[in-house]
Amino acid sequence: MATNQPTAPVEQASAERTLPQAREVERAVLGAMLIDNLAISRVVEVLGDESAFYHTPHRRVYAAILKLYERGEPADQVTLSEELSRRGQLDQVGGPVFVAELAGEMATAANAEYHANIVLEKAQRRRLIDASTQTITESYEEGEDVRAIIDRAEQRVFHIAEGELGQGVRSLESALGETFAQIEKAHEQAGALSGVTTGYTEMDEITAGLQD
């Protein structure tokens, strides 16, 4: 996950422009996660934590779904309402009616990952705007060293590009799936190397070579 980024986007903008956002797409992602819990891991791999969501109720709902998922509990209209109530946030997000609307909006979760990438793209744009605003503010301060301002500006953009919020965040289910696939492949090849040789015959026989 990237660091030095706002934990919650500011829902303010100038009179001329509004910050990049996609309210309906955010709702679509949440709805997909509720109707098909298998979509949760796919969404988490793209978005990571709740900071990608622009609207506060959506962030709270997403965080609650993740908590249910982490505990190995099903995420549906009932369990989500209970989790939000336990956190004292059910009324804040719009009550049981709002949760029911989310659960009833989507007919399929097939596009969950595609929609999650749209949410991510909007979040990245907001972070770039925030980073640029900080750099502009610092540039107006005459006492600031220009080289230091440039270095901080580069770091801000680097963290956004490096993190991409969800990049590098993988569910245990996904990691285990790839691991078992590699083991199965190694058995099928029966002695053949699936990776790079270690230079030691016995070690190659055990590991099937160094894996990526």
Side-chain angles (χ1 to χ4, degrees):
M1 298 292 295
T3 56
N4 295 345
Q5 297 178 351
T7 55
V10 180
E11 298 189 24
Q12 296 179 346
S14 66
E16 294 81 15
R17 295 182 178 181
T18 59
L19 290 174
Q21 57 176 294
R23 181 190 293 267
E24 295 307 314
V25 179
E26 289 185 0
R27 290 174 64 99
V29 171
L30 297 175
M33 295 169 77
L34 287 175
I35 66 170
D36 183 359
N37 285 183
L38 293 177
I40 296 177
S41 62
R42 303 202 308 272
V43 171
V44 170
E45 287 184 9
V46 175
L47 298 181
D49 66 20
E50 69 274 13
S51 61
F53 288 82
Y54 179 79
H55 298 280
T56 301
H58 297 168
R59 290 198 299 272
R60 289 172 173 164
V61 168
Y62 182 81
I65 292 175
L66 287 195
K67 182 56 65 176
L68 290 169
Y69 179 67
E70 289 170 3
R71 294 201 301 254
E73 300 175 9
D76 55 34
Q77 181 179 337
V78 175
T79 58
L80 176 58
S81 294
E82 290 178 349
E83 177 64 21
L84 287 168
S85 179
R86 188 185 65 79
R87 294 170 172 231
Q89 297 178 344
L90 183 57
D91 290 336
Q92 295 175 11
V93 303
V97 173
F98 177 75
V99 175
E101 289 176 351
L102 287 178
E105 282 183 354
M106 300 301 295
T108 175
N111 296 324
E113 190 172 358
Y114 174 78
H115 290 150
N117 274 291
I118 295 176
V119 173
L120 174 62
E121 183 258 338
K122 300 297 183 183
Q124 289 173 321
R125 289 180 180 274
R126 292 195 301 272
R127 279 164 162 68
L128 283 171
I129 291 170
D130 180 75
S132 300
T133 301
Q134 292 181 56
T135 301
I136 290 170
T137 300
E138 293 173 357
S139 298
Y140 275 107
E141 298 175 2
E142 293 292 340
E144 282 277 3
D145 178 70
V146 173
R147 185 66 252 176
I149 294 174
I150 293 173
D151 288 342
R152 287 196 295 271
E154 290 175 345
Q155 282 298 310
R156 292 183 188 114
V157 175
F158 173 76
H159 284 310
I160 295 171
E162 180 189 50
E164 291 188 340
L165 299 180
Q167 287 291 327
V169 176
R170 303 172 61 204
S171 67
L172 178 61
E173 175 185 3
S174 174
L176 287 176
E178 290 187 13
T179 300
F180 285 129
Q182 289 181 354
I183 293 173
E184 183 177 354
K185 181 179 179 181
H187 279 294
E188 290 175 352
Q189 291 181 338
L193 294 182
S194 60
V196 180
T197 179
T198 64
Y200 297 94
T201 303
E202 292 184 359
M203 182 64 72
D204 285 343
E205 290 177 352
I206 295 172
T207 65
L210 298 175
Q211 308 299 316
D212 292 333

